Amino acid sequence: GPGSGKGTQCEKVVAKYGFTHLSSGDLLRAEVSSGSERGKQLAAIMEKGELVPLDTVLDMIKEAMIAKADTSKGFLIDGYPREVRQGEEFEKKIGAPSLLLYIDAKAETMVKRLMKRGETSGRTDDNEETIKKRLDLYYKATEPVIAFYEGRGIVRKIDSEDKLKNSKIIFVVGGPGSGKGTQCEKIVERYGFTHLSSGDLLRAEVSSGSERGKQLAAIMEKGELVPLDTILNMIKEAMIAKASTSKGFLIDGYPREVRQGEEFEKKIGAPCLLLYIDAKAETMLMRLIKRGETSGRSDDTAQTIKNRLELYYKATEPVIAYYQGRGIVRKINAEGSVDEVFSQVANAIESLHWADGMRQGLKLWPEWRASLNLLRTRYHLGLELWASCKLKDSKIIFIVGGPDSGKGTHCEKIVEKYGFAHLSSRRLLGVEVSSGSARAKQLAAIMEKGELGPLIGDPSLLLHMDTKAETMVKRLIKRGRADDNKETVEKPLELCYKAMDPVSAFYEGRGIVWKLSLSLSLSLSFDHKAYCPHRLSARSFRVSE
């Protein structure tokens, strides 16, 4: 249809295969611009949103094809036939098509594209009313054409919607035998990602017995890396096939060179994380030799493995350096057990969920700030709900503090010493919102309105982890996440203070706030007597100290 992108795709076909592109639309507009009598008649038809009569275009197409017949490798007839009869006439006067490419886009997508084009094109038919008329006529005319050529077995339907837009993409890089495949399996099980291994795709191609498979087998037997662009199309096709159901993609063993990563981003999208599964060379060698005893793989021999590892290090070091410059690399020590390694992997992925949640939170901060004014009135409603709540006898402690104030570390120690459960609202919200679940959509709607969710109960205590701003800045920068630089760190701190001060003031009025200075060492600051012996013992922890 108009605005489906068929013209753009034709340009790419011409560049790659040397075909001549003939657009019935371009030929019609050239005729209109010529000022001829036929051009004036065509202009009147197009302004009404009607289709040009059946036989008007055919002569122009035929003349253009004859002019290029001696030099062209083939012809792309763009926008023709518009009716079955046009196709039949084309075949009588010129010849039969070998293929029909059906570039399929949703009606709303085409309307948006054409309206945007109309802002600069100056075309009289790029207005909403005329566009909708054109689309109605297009569907009525085209459906019989597609059905006619499907009966001949030459139709190939191309989905022009960008199915991979906003997909979460994680590159997983590691040497042969580093265990990256095993870690990918565990990620799929826990987080619902789709695992695409360039190695598996290559081996499937080799097993197919195709000519390309034979060439790949010869390269792999020598311990060499497969050429740069061989894998990308297979990966893209596999991603598109899973795009509607997957929560993200693990691209295992790709990119192997910086240029591959750049091409991936141009054609598919940018990764949000690179997991570097790092194992020692001798560890990988031992694992692969052991695998070779049972795998039957021709590339699992000691000499071939050494060649592969040497090539791997030469190719991978620039890739890691390139993405480290982008701040998305997480290095995983792969020398431990599978579960120990996965613990590091899970932390890296969950920090990604947290970052998504934080970005969403900063975006919605103006609405959240307004919700603080509702706190006092909603508190009384919360007390009524509390009477029938199963948690009414639970001890609840609120813990507030800036990012890297030390509250997470102290929560761990409280859990260990007193048996409390540690719940981080930030992480729960971040993971839930990122999951795309039904509840996540409800939460997003609440947050966008600046409202609070139902309250649970009355806290026994609020621990305020009081750390100087400069201390938190130093700690965050030292931690070294992608978003941990002075500028990005100071902004959330400023927002944190604005949000936290009214909360602390509110609960101070109820006499349950205990402010703890965390500029001390960890051991001193956690000493149970340093908290508040009488308040914690009597009101919360019930311990004799």
Side-chain angles (χ1 to χ4, degrees):
S4 64
K6 63 184 185 297
T8 301
Q9 294 305 314
C10 285
E11 290 174 8
K12 295 178 79 67
V13 172
V14 169
K16 186 161 189 173
Y17 299 105
F19 276 49
T20 295
H21 175 209
L22 297 175
S23 164
S24 58
D26 289 344
L27 292 170
L28 284 168
R29 283 186 286 277
E31 186 71 21
V32 170
S33 298
S34 71
S36 67
E37 187 58 36
R38 184 170 66 177
K40 293 175 183 177
Q41 294 172 355
L42 290 172
I45 292 170
M46 292 164 68
E47 284 174 4
K48 294 176 184 176
E50 297 176 358
L51 291 177
V52 173
L54 290 176
D55 300 321
T56 304
V57 188
L58 191 57
D59 287 341
M60 290 186 286
I61 291 177
K62 186 174 182 179
E63 291 167 8
M65 291 178 70
I66 290 171
K68 293 285 187 178
D70 293 338
T71 58
S72 182
K73 293 182 179 179
F75 295 94
L76 297 171
I77 312 301
D78 174 2
Y80 194 94
R82 296 187 181 225
E83 297 184 7
V84 172
R85 182 181 158 192
Q86 280 187 332
E88 292 172 332
E89 289 299 313
F90 185 101
E91 294 187 34
K92 288 178 185 176
K93 296 180 181 179
I94 301 174
S98 50
L99 185 68
L100 187 149
L101 290 176
Y102 176 25
I103 311 298
D104 186 32
K106 294 177 182 177
E108 54 265 33
T109 299
M110 292 189 280
V111 170
K112 286 179 183 177
R113 290 176 181 172
L114 290 170
M115 289 293 292
K116 186 173 182 181
R117 183 179 72 180
E119 294 171 4
T120 56
S121 68
R123 287 178 51 171
T124 58
D125 57 345
D126 278 348
N127 61 77
E128 188 169 2
E129 184 179 353
T130 304
I131 288 168
K132 288 180 177 178
K133 287 181 180 179
R134 290 170 64 198
L135 285 176
D136 285 342
L137 290 169
Y138 160 75
Y139 284 119
K140 287 177 183 177
T142 301
E143 286 174 3
V145 173
I146 299 301
F148 176 75
Y149 285 104
E150 278 179 339
R152 306 254 297 268
I154 65 169
V155 174
R156 298 296 181 272
K157 187 174 180 179
I158 310 297
D159 189 345
S160 70
E161 301 287 333
D162 186 1
K163 289 188 173 182
L164 300 178
K165 187 177 181 181
N166 299 324
S167 293
K168 282 189 174 66
I169 299 170
I170 298 178
F171 287 164
V172 184
V173 175
S178 64
K180 64 183 185 299
T182 301
Q183 294 303 316
C184 285
E185 290 173 8
K186 293 181 76 67
I187 293 170
V188 168
E189 182 181 353
R190 178 176 288 191
Y191 299 105
F193 276 52
T194 296
H195 175 206
L196 298 174
S197 163
S198 58
D200 289 345
L201 291 171
L202 284 169
R203 284 186 285 275
E205 186 72 21
V206 170
S207 299
S208 72
S210 67
E211 186 60 34
R212 182 170 68 175
K214 293 174 184 177
Q215 294 171 355
L216 293 172
I219 292 169
M220 292 163 70
E221 284 173 5
K222 295 176 185 177
E224 296 177 357
L225 292 175
V226 174
L228 290 175
D229 301 323
T230 305
I231 309 167
L232 191 56
N233 286 336
M234 289 186 287
I235 291 176
K236 185 174 182 179
E237 290 167 8
M239 289 177 71
I240 289 171
K242 293 285 187 179
S244 60
T245 58
S246 183
K247 292 183 179 178
F249 296 94
L250 300 172
I251 312 300
D252 174 3
Y254 194 95
R256 297 187 181 225
E257 298 184 5
V258 172
R259 182 180 158 196
Q260 281 187 330
E262 293 173 335
E263 288 299 311
F264 187 101
E265 294 189 34
K266 288 178 186 176
K267 296 178 181 179
I268 300 176
C272 53
L273 186 66
L274 186 149
L275 289 175
Y276 178 25
I277 312 298
D278 186 32
K280 294 177 182 176
E282 52 266 33
T283 300
M284 292 188 281
L285 179 61
M286 289 170 55
R287 290 175 180 173
L288 290 172
I289 290 174
K290 185 175 181 181
R291 184 179 73 179
E293 295 171 2
T294 56
S295 69
R297 284 178 53 173
S298 59
D299 56 345
D300 278 348
T301 65
Q303 187 56 50
T304 303
I305 290 167
K306 288 178 181 178
N307 290 342
R308 290 170 65 198
L309 287 174
E310 184 178 347
L311 288 168
Y312 160 74
Y313 283 118
K314 285 181 182 177
T316 302
E317 287 174 1
V319 172
I320 299 301
Y322 175 75
Y323 285 104
Q324 277 178 334
R326 303 257 296 272
I328 65 169
V329 174
R330 298 295 180 271
K331 189 173 181 179
I332 307 298
N333 184 344
E335 293 293 324
S337 68
V338 170
D339 288 339
E340 288 170 344
V341 175
F342 185 65
S343 177
Q344 301 173 61
V345 170
N347 286 338
I349 292 176
E350 286 172 14
S351 72
L352 183 65
H353 289 319
W354 176 88
D356 287 344
M358 179 59 79
R359 279 190 287 271
Q360 179 75 0
L362 289 174
K363 186 177 178 182
L364 297 174
W365 166 247
E367 288 81 6
W368 285 355
R369 181 175 55 190
S371 73
L372 291 174
N373 295 328
L374 299 174
L375 183 59
R376 293 181 185 274
T377 54
R378 292 298 294 275
Y379 171 71
H380 296 292
L381 174 60
L383 287 177
E384 292 175 10
L385 292 172
W386 178 243
S388 60
C389 182
K390 291 181 180 180
L391 301 176
K392 67 178 181 178
D393 295 324
S394 297
K395 296 179 181 65
I396 300 172
I397 298 177
F398 288 167
I399 301 183
V400 298
D404 224 4
S405 63
K407 60 183 184 297
T409 302
H410 283 73
C411 285
E412 291 173 6
K413 297 185 77 67
I414 291 171
V415 168
E416 180 182 355
K417 188 174 180 75
Y418 299 105
F420 275 51
H422 174 207
L423 299 175
S424 165
S425 59
R426 177 190 65 193
R427 179 167 291 183
L428 289 171
L429 283 171
V431 171
E432 187 68 28
V433 169
S434 299
S435 73
S437 68
R439 183 167 63 175
K441 294 174 183 176
Q442 292 172 353
L443 286 172
I446 290 170
M447 291 156 68
E448 285 171 4
K449 294 177 183 176
E451 296 178 354
L452 294 173
L455 297 176
I456 296 174
D458 192 9
S460 309
L461 183 67
L462 185 145
L463 289 179
H464 183 174
M465 303 300 183
D466 186 25
T467 304
K468 293 179 180 177
E470 54 266 31
T471 301
M472 289 188 280
V473 169
K474 287 179 182 177
R475 289 177 181 173
L476 288 166
I477 291 174
K478 185 176 180 181
R479 182 178 65 182
R481 285 183 182 166
D483 56 347
D484 287 347
N485 58 68
K486 194 169 188 297
E487 182 179 350
T488 57
V489 164
E490 287 180 346
K491 171 107 178 173
L493 279 177
E494 182 182 346
L495 293 173
C496 177
Y497 283 123
K498 286 181 179 178
M500 206 162 52
D501 288 348
V503 174
S504 291
F506 175 72
Y507 286 105
E508 279 175 355
R510 293 172 54 197
I512 65 168
V513 173
W514 185 254
K515 188 174 286 190
L516 180 64
S517 174
L518 292 184
S519 297
L520 304 171
S521 70
L522 177 61
S523 60
L524 285 174
S525 62
F526 183 70
D527 187 302
H528 65 273
K529 294 176 182 176
Y531 279 104
C532 180
H534 67 281
R535 180 172 288 136
L536 288 182
S537 298
R539 300 193 59 181
S540 184
F541 293 121
R542 310 290 186 195
V543 295
S544 60
E545 293 94 338

